[in-house]
Amino acid sequence: MNTYYENLKTHIDKYSALNMALTLFNWDSSTEAPKDATELTSKYIGILSENLYNTLINDDVEGLIEKLKAADDLTVEEKAIVRKTSEMFDDIRYIPADEFSAYQALLAKSDAIWAKAKAENDYNSFAPVLKEIIDYNKKFASYKAKARGYEGPLYDILLDDYEKGFTTQVLDEFFSRLKATIVPLVKRAVKNNHLIDKDFNYLSYDVEKQAEISRKLAEHIGFDFNRGVIKTSVHPFTTNLHNKDVRITTAYKKNNLESAMFSTIHEGGHALYEMHVSDDFTGTPASYISMGMHESQSRLFENNLGRSEAFWKPLYPKLKEAYPEQLKDVTLEHFIHAINKSVPNLIRTEADELTYCLHIMVRYEIEKMIFSGEEIDIYKLPEIWNDKYEEYLGIRPESDAQGILQDIHWAIGSIGYFPSYAIGTAIAAQIYAHLQKVMPLDEYLSSGNLQPVNDYLKKNLHKYAGSKTTKELLEGLMGEDFNPEYYINYLKEKYTKLYNL
Amino acid sequence: MNTYYENLKTHIDKYSALNMALTLFNWDSSTEAPKDATELTSKYIGILSENLYNTLINDDVEGLIEKLKAADDLTVEEKAIVRKTSEMFDDIRYIPADEFSAYQALLAKSDAIWAKAKAENDYNSFAPVLKEIIDYNKKFASYKAKARGYEGPLYDILLDDYEKGFTTQVLDEFFSRLKATIVPLVKRAVKNNHLIDKDFNYLSYDVEKQAEISRKLAEHIGFDFNRGVIKTSVHPFTTNLHNKDVRITTAYKKNNLESAMFSTIHEGGHALYEMHVSDDFTGTPASYISMGMHESQSRLFENNLGRSEAFWKPLYPKLKEAYPEQLKDVTLEHFIHAINKSVPNLIRTEADELTYCLHIMVRYEIEKMIFSGEEIDIYKLPEIWNDKYEEYLGIRPESDAQGILQDIHWAIGSIGYFPSYAIGTAIAAQIYAHLQKVMPLDEYLSSGNLQPVNDYLKKNLHKYAGSKTTKELLEGLMGEDFNPEYYINYLKEKYTKLYNL
């Protein structure tokens, strides 16, 4: 093995060890830590984060990366790890350490300020913090743009953090096609909503039983409990220490049957991706999967597979057995219609499959505007937000808690993140179409056998994790780069049929 | 504030942050991590441990400690923190880094080898590893002895790690008194065992209900759920990140009512100590409580308080309500007799209050022998073990799994640890006598009010954590140093009465 590589690997291992510790602290604080621990624990998390920064950003690492870029005796896997480490290094190196620390300190308190503002429906108390976060992001993005010699829109730099290659140019094109197709489709569907009954979903469903069903659903799609954990938290999420320790959470609602089920399948899709990452990459920066690609797998399992009739054919009788009273008059067909019903609402995380990307479009347009260069009045954002909801979804938030304050992302500095949800959703539809071409997908689903799907995705996609670009991954899997046409066709076809349009 | 102190504090904070991460990993792997994660996670835990070593053992820290030892502008608290940091530094500095790492690597695998040997009742497969661990401990102890200019028994150096001041001289004296009193007392009690019925304890007790009772018991003794967590694990333990995040585990057994209850009170006693540590000390080496002192609080709550009639007076009616069938013929008096019944058995962790320290005596004598200087045949230890059980407890293990392999301690390098259990037990009795003197203890217990006990212990003992020596703590609390006479009298009195001797 190349000696420089061995040395770099030592740094990477140390970085990963600290990163795993931080992941574990985060998991713990969302699922278990006692209430009063937060303040003091945060102090030590801050110290570990600083430690993490120093592990990566130092002259040793810089020198090793330079030498390894010129090396010709690395394996394909090693090359990918060096490239990803170098990218990560470049992402942070241009930010002066003191500004990085000040920003981290801001983020350490901003989510609590957001949570309070949301609880009290008081956007103005969050606005100054949001302004600061935006300003830091502008500054950091301009450092990076300068270092890269990039002269396009500043927002591209932020988008790049979550899904490389998906610039405003690509996204403008993508969203304008979505807008042209889906906005009118939603308007037509809404008119036929009386055709689909979904009342049964809101009856009372024992939470213990829901938890059991979620476990079984996770197992059904391939979640390996020897390598994974399912727990409860307020907001469902997936996290992992490495490919043999992958964790998801679900939140159970007594009066909503589908909520926890699809949330589990969604997080389960994320989890499968992580469980399938190659041992060559786990514990290295090459294991970090882009947000769009990650979301493509959670959405594929949740929606394209998980809301199909074939998927529920072997499962629905068992669900009926679990809730004989509540589901006694509900046939499989009725159930499938209900779980696909589209009702425009205000909350992104509760959105149905058809309207979901419109929520993202609102956020994309606002983020793009903020970074467009013109000075934005931060206090005007709620009104802009509400206007857009009215335009695209036909509904207007009555409070900012249900509007601009609903998501945590901006409060934790994730700007440019939202579009990856839409990208992932479109990629999911593209991969779904591909799977139907290369295997008897419906047959597998109908017989409750998801092994071939998992095997195929693991072998042709998951194992590579972040060692390849999204373009390389998609072309390697399907012989075709990102193409949103599949998604648009999928929605048109599915909802035209569902609503007899 | 002294600038050197500020600098040292930065090192201490970093050390504590890493230490907390390791604590969290340990907690997680015992309570939650998926099965297949262990191997890979261990690798990263190893890296963090190395990091921890380097955070403390470096020239910077050494220089700062030297300067601060001579400083005259430190507060009492700061002085204690410097002293404890210096002690910790001295404990490790004499061990060469490569030997320390090799030993850590040995420990990383030795507990799995022990667990397998125990499961397969195959002492010989563990013996070579035990020999290696012993040899490392001998070597490390001799480094320390040399550095300290200590010429007494090598075993004293190991004892010192867990409870300073309790040398073989002190312990020989202590155990010989125990032996003279308790061994004959046990023999007499056993003959009267037919007088106490305990069959009800082994009926079937719903585990969910047991968990609820454990929670209530913890709350009853003062466990603060805003600063603490209770969870399930195979072996109960207590751990903490700091004074606002203290965690205990319990193991529930369907056919044993008392097991989880007293285990919860025991770990709860440990937890109260940690929750009451002063904010001045938490997150610093001055928060580290010696093993003997720690055990004194768990034993005080579990036995002296927790098995008393006054303690159960307000609680027993509720327990009966929870299990009306199982306890219908059991009066409070009957219950108290049963939970104090002494039956010599082979397993330390299941031992009753009377025989508990005899288990420790066996281990103490064997450890002392191993470190006495003469060459020991490692393969002869099981026989020596079994002979001692027969001599002191009147029973002989039929397998090594039930004998010398039962405890994990040696496998994780904890040699010299066991005596602190006995020391703690004796201190508990001494403190119990003191509490009875300074407050109407039985009255408080009978009315279910443990607040005054907690307040008193917090103010006069717990808050100091490891900032004082055991001698200072005991004298500060009671005006008297360690005195095992209280313990011997307590046992004699309690068991003479219980068994009508």
Side-chain angles (χ1 to χ4, degrees):
Chain A
M1 198 188 270
N2 184 305
T3 327
Y4 297 130
Y5 183 77
E6 262 181 78
N7 284 343
L8 182 67
K9 195 64 184 12
T10 307
H11 289 281
I12 289 175
D13 282 346
K14 202 169 151 192
Y15 180 88
S16 293
L18 284 165
N19 204 25
M20 284 177 205
L22 288 164
T23 301
L24 192 59
F25 268 110
N26 187 44
W27 163 261
D28 184 76
S29 71
S30 303
T31 60
E32 186 151 304
K35 193 168 80 48
D36 291 356
T38 317
E39 197 186 325
L40 199 49
T41 301
S42 299
K43 174 183 152 184
Y44 293 99
I45 289 177
I47 292 168
L48 290 176
S49 308
E50 222 181 288
N51 214 330
L52 185 80
Y53 178 94
N54 296 328
T55 306
L56 187 69
I57 304 301
N58 60 57
D59 296 345
D60 254 19
V61 171
E62 184 171 11
L64 289 167
I65 288 175
E66 283 319 307
K67 291 208 178 73
L68 284 164
K69 275 181 174 169
D72 56 7
D73 58 345
L74 299 183
T75 65
V76 176
E77 289 77 17
E78 289 167 355
K79 265 186 205 151
I81 292 167
V82 170
R83 182 173 55 74
K84 290 284 281 190
T85 308
S86 163
E87 281 174 19
M88 226 169 65
F89 184 82
D90 284 344
D91 271 353
I92 314 183
R93 70 190 296 193
Y94 304 116
I95 302 171
D98 60 332
E99 289 183 18
F100 185 86
S101 286
Y103 181 55
Q104 296 304 323
L106 174 64
L107 293 186
K109 63 180 187 182
S110 56
D111 62 335
I113 297 171
W114 161 78
K116 192 162 177 279
K118 182 178 172 181
E120 296 170 359
N121 189 33
D122 178 16
Y123 173 79
N124 288 350
S125 69
F126 176 57
V129 179
L130 178 58
K131 179 76 169 58
E132 271 193 86
I133 291 174
I134 288 170
D135 288 346
Y136 270 114
N137 274 277
K138 280 186 180 168
K139 214 192 304 185
F140 294 168
S142 63
Y143 294 152
K144 285 192 212 174
K146 200 177 154 196
R148 293 181 195 171
Y150 188 78
E151 294 182 344
L154 208 54
Y155 186 40
D156 286 356
I157 302 285
L158 283 107
L159 291 170
D160 194 74
D161 280 347
Y162 302 100
E163 193 51 69
K164 292 206 186 305
F166 287 74
T167 58
T168 37
Q169 199 188 341
V170 175
L171 289 173
D172 279 348
E173 157 84 8
F174 169 52
F175 281 117
S176 76
R177 282 163 88 174
L178 269 194
K179 200 191 288 192
T181 331
I182 299 177
V183 174
L185 189 58
V186 169
K187 286 188 175 142
R188 281 189 295 148
V190 165
K191 284 190 195 136
N192 278 359
N193 245 336
H194 60 279
L195 297 176
I196 299 177
D197 161 61
K198 198 175 173 169
D199 289 351
F200 72 85
N201 185 62
Y202 307 103
L203 298 173
S204 175
Y205 292 91
D206 178 63
V207 163
E208 298 274 317
K209 217 178 263 182
Q210 284 197 45
E212 214 182 293
I213 290 166
S214 272
R215 256 190 98 80
K216 282 188 185 152
L217 275 172
E219 229 168 339
H220 184 77
I221 65 167
F223 187 91
D224 179 353
F225 281 92
N226 288 327
R227 300 176 149 209
V229 172
I230 296 192
K231 221 171 158 183
T232 306
S233 72
V234 181
H235 301 288
F237 67 95
T238 303
T239 191
N240 69 305
L241 300 184
H242 43 67
N243 63 356
K244 291 179 190 70
D245 189 332
V246 183
R247 304 172 183 211
I248 67 175
T249 66
T250 302
Y252 301 98
K253 297 179 184 169
K254 200 171 171 49
N255 292 302
N256 193 331
L257 173 61
E258 70 174 5
S259 175
M261 291 199 308
F262 288 101
S263 160
T264 301
I265 303 176
H266 179 96
E267 303 304 335
H270 281 306
L272 291 175
Y273 209 155
E274 292 293 348
M275 285 176 175
H276 293 160
V277 166
S278 159
D279 288 345
D280 291 332
F281 300 129
T282 201
T284 78
S287 73
Y288 304 156
I289 297 158
S290 75
M291 289 302 158
M293 284 310 298
H294 228 308
E295 194 70 9
S296 79
Q297 298 309 286
S298 57
R299 307 291 283 178
L300 172 66
F301 277 88
E302 177 195 355
N303 291 332
N304 310 89
L305 303 178
R307 293 184 199 268
S308 72
E309 188 163 337
F311 181 85
W312 281 99
K313 213 172 147 192
L315 297 175
Y316 189 63
K318 293 177 193 163
L319 189 65
K320 248 181 125 145
E321 248 171 62
Y323 296 115
E325 264 315 301
Q326 297 91 325
L327 300 178
K328 76 167 176 282
D329 298 326
V330 183
T331 63
L332 173 60
E333 200 196 347
H334 181 168
F335 177 74
I336 296 300
H337 274 75
I339 61 176
N340 284 292
K341 184 174 182 173
S342 172
V343 183
N345 79 355
L346 295 168
I347 306 300
R348 177 186 63 84
T349 56
E350 294 166 11
D352 58 80
E353 196 180 354
L354 180 60
T355 58
Y356 185 83
C357 282
L358 301 181
H359 291 261
I360 303 306
M361 207 160 75
V362 170
R363 289 153 176 81
Y364 170 70
E365 292 179 357
I366 292 178
E367 288 188 347
K368 197 181 140 190
M369 189 190 73
I370 290 173
F371 285 83
S372 66
E374 35 176 322
E375 204 49 48
I376 295 298
D377 180 353
I378 200 81
Y379 295 93
K380 288 264 169 64
L381 291 182
E383 207 188 321
I384 297 173
W385 177 285
N386 295 348
D387 288 347
K388 287 188 186 289
Y389 263 79
E390 197 157 357
E391 183 186 348
Y392 303 145
L393 286 137
I395 47 178
R396 193 177 181 89
E398 283 181 11
S399 75
D400 293 334
Q402 298 241 308
I404 194 166
L405 285 175
Q406 67 181 263
D407 283 310
I408 196 175
H409 301 59
W410 292 344
I412 56 171
S414 299
I415 305 180
Y417 185 124
F418 283 119
S420 61
Y421 289 131
I423 296 164
T425 305
I427 293 175
Q430 190 174 352
I431 293 178
Y432 180 58
H434 174 73
L435 289 179
Q436 281 176 315
K437 249 182 275 168
V438 295
M439 62 174 71
L441 184 61
D442 279 1
E443 206 177 285
Y444 289 147
L445 295 175
S446 301
S447 60
N449 178 16
L450 274 80
Q451 192 65 48
V453 178
N454 271 297
D455 289 345
Y456 186 85
L457 290 172
K458 178 179 179 180
K459 185 175 164 221
N460 297 292
L461 177 64
H462 295 172
K463 70 170 182 186
Y464 297 114
S467 70
K468 300 185 176 204
T469 64
T470 295
K471 188 177 153 68
E472 286 167 348
L473 289 171
L474 296 181
E475 286 179 348
L477 175 69
M478 304 180 294
E480 188 184 10
D481 194 6
F482 178 68
N483 180 353
E485 212 49 44
Y486 291 98
Y487 176 50
I488 288 165
N489 288 338
Y490 165 84
L491 284 181
K492 271 204 297 207
E493 200 179 309
K494 177 167 181 172
Y495 281 90
T496 305
K497 193 175 154 217
L498 191 75
Y499 279 98
N500 286 325
L501 299 174
Chain B
M1 195 186 271
N2 183 304
T3 328
Y4 297 131
Y5 183 78
E6 263 181 79
N7 284 343
L8 182 67
K9 195 66 183 14
T10 307
H11 289 281
I12 289 175
D13 281 348
K14 203 170 149 190
Y15 180 87
S16 293
L18 283 166
N19 205 23
M20 284 177 204
L22 287 165
T23 301
L24 192 58
F25 268 110
N26 186 44
W27 163 260
D28 184 76
S29 71
S30 304
T31 61
E32 186 150 304
K35 192 168 81 47
D36 290 357
T38 317
E39 196 186 325
L40 199 48
T41 302
S42 300
K43 173 184 151 181
Y44 294 100
I45 289 177
I47 293 168
L48 291 176
S49 306
E50 220 181 290
N51 214 331
L52 185 79
Y53 178 93
N54 296 328
T55 307
L56 186 69
I57 305 301
N58 60 57
D59 296 345
D60 254 20
V61 171
E62 184 170 11
L64 289 166
I65 289 175
E66 283 318 307
K67 291 208 178 73
L68 284 163
K69 275 181 174 169
D72 55 5
D73 57 346
L74 299 182
T75 65
V76 176
E77 290 76 17
E78 288 166 355
K79 265 185 208 152
I81 291 167
V82 170
R83 183 173 55 76
K84 289 284 282 190
T85 308
S86 162
E87 281 174 17
M88 225 168 66
F89 184 82
D90 284 344
D91 271 353
I92 314 184
R93 69 190 297 195
Y94 303 116
I95 301 171
D98 58 333
E99 290 183 16
F100 185 84
S101 288
Y103 180 56
Q104 295 305 320
L106 174 65
L107 294 185
K109 60 180 188 182
S110 56
D111 61 336
I113 295 171
W114 162 79
K116 192 161 174 279
K118 182 178 173 182
E120 296 171 357
N121 189 35
D122 177 16
Y123 172 79
N124 288 351
S125 69
F126 175 56
V129 179
L130 178 58
K131 179 75 169 55
E132 272 192 86
I133 292 174
I134 289 170
D135 288 345
Y136 270 114
N137 274 277
K138 280 187 181 169
K139 214 191 306 185
F140 295 168
S142 62
Y143 293 152
K144 285 192 211 172
K146 200 178 154 195
R148 293 180 196 170
Y150 187 78
E151 294 183 345
L154 208 55
Y155 186 39
D156 286 357
I157 302 284
L158 283 107
L159 291 169
D160 194 77
D161 279 349
Y162 302 100
E163 193 52 70
K164 292 203 187 308
F166 287 75
T167 58
T168 37
Q169 199 189 341
V170 175
L171 288 173
D172 279 347
E173 158 85 10
F174 169 52
F175 280 118
S176 75
R177 281 162 88 174
L178 270 193
K179 203 191 287 192
T181 333
I182 300 177
V183 174
L185 189 58
V186 169
K187 287 189 175 143
R188 281 190 294 148
V190 165
K191 284 190 197 137
N192 277 359
N193 245 336
H194 60 279
L195 297 176
I196 299 178
D197 161 62
K198 198 176 172 171
D199 289 351
F200 71 86
N201 185 62
Y202 307 104
L203 299 173
S204 176
Y205 292 90
D206 179 63
V207 164
E208 298 274 316
K209 218 179 260 181
Q210 283 197 46
E212 214 182 295
I213 290 166
S214 272
R215 258 188 97 82
K216 282 187 185 152
L217 274 172
E219 230 168 338
H220 183 78
I221 64 167
F223 186 92
D224 179 354
F225 281 93
N226 289 327
R227 299 177 150 211
V229 172
I230 296 192
K231 221 172 157 183
T232 306
S233 72
V234 182
H235 302 288
F237 66 95
T238 303
T239 191
N240 69 305
L241 299 185
H242 43 67
N243 64 355
K244 291 179 189 71
D245 189 332
V246 183
R247 304 171 182 210
I248 68 176
T249 67
T250 303
Y252 301 98
K253 297 179 185 169
K254 200 170 171 48
N255 293 303
N256 193 331
L257 174 61
E258 71 173 3
S259 175
M261 292 198 308
F262 289 101
S263 161
T264 301
I265 302 176
H266 178 96
E267 304 304 335
H270 282 304
L272 292 174
Y273 209 156
E274 293 293 347
M275 285 175 173
H276 293 161
V277 167
S278 159
D279 288 344
D280 291 331
F281 299 129
T282 201
T284 80
S287 72
Y288 304 157
I289 297 158
S290 76
M291 290 302 157
M293 285 309 298
H294 228 308
E295 193 69 9
S296 79
Q297 298 309 286
S298 57
R299 306 291 284 179
L300 172 67
F301 278 89
E302 177 195 355
N303 291 332
N304 311 91
L305 304 177
R307 294 185 198 268
S308 72
E309 187 162 338
F311 181 85
W312 281 99
K313 212 171 149 194
L315 297 175
Y316 189 64
K318 291 177 195 162
L319 189 66
K320 247 182 126 143
E321 247 172 62
Y323 297 114
E325 264 314 301
Q326 296 90 325
L327 300 177
K328 78 168 174 282
D329 298 326
V330 183
T331 62
L332 173 60
E333 200 197 347
H334 182 168
F335 178 74
I336 296 300
H337 274 74
I339 62 176
N340 285 292
K341 183 172 183 174
S342 172
V343 183
N345 80 356
L346 295 169
I347 307 299
R348 177 187 63 84
T349 56
E350 293 165 12
D352 58 81
E353 197 180 354
L354 180 60
T355 57
Y356 186 83
C357 283
L358 301 182
H359 291 261
I360 303 306
M361 208 161 74
V362 170
R363 289 152 177 80
Y364 169 70
E365 291 180 357
I366 292 177
E367 288 188 346
K368 197 181 138 192
M369 188 189 73
I370 290 173
F371 285 83
S372 66
E374 35 177 321
E375 203 50 46
I376 295 298
D377 180 354
I378 200 81
Y379 295 94
K380 288 263 168 66
L381 292 182
E383 208 188 320
I384 298 173
W385 179 285
N386 294 348
D387 287 347
K388 287 189 186 291
Y389 263 78
E390 197 158 356
E391 183 185 348
Y392 302 145
L393 287 138
I395 46 178
R396 191 176 182 90
E398 283 181 12
S399 74
D400 293 334
Q402 296 239 312
I404 195 166
L405 286 174
Q406 68 182 265
D407 282 311
I408 196 173
H409 300 60
W410 292 344
I412 55 172
S414 299
I415 305 180
Y417 185 124
F418 284 119
S420 62
Y421 289 131
I423 297 164
T425 305
I427 293 175
Q430 191 174 351
I431 294 178
Y432 180 59
H434 174 73
L435 290 178
Q436 281 176 316
K437 250 182 276 169
V438 296
M439 63 174 71
L441 184 61
D442 279 0
E443 205 177 286
Y444 288 147
L445 294 176
S446 300
S447 60
N449 178 15
L450 274 80
Q451 192 66 48
V453 178
N454 271 296
D455 290 346
Y456 185 85
L457 290 172
K458 179 179 178 178
K459 186 176 161 223
N460 297 292
L461 178 63
H462 295 171
K463 70 170 181 184
Y464 297 113
S467 71
K468 299 186 176 203
T469 64
T470 295
K471 188 178 154 70
E472 286 167 348
L473 288 170
L474 295 181
E475 286 179 349
L477 175 69
M478 304 180 294
E480 187 183 11
D481 194 4
F482 177 68
N483 180 353
E485 214 47 47
Y486 292 97
Y487 175 51
I488 288 166
N489 289 338
Y490 164 83
L491 284 182
K492 272 203 295 206
E493 200 179 309
K494 177 167 180 173
Y495 281 90
T496 306
K497 192 175 155 218
L498 190 76
Y499 279 98
N500 288 322
L501 297 175

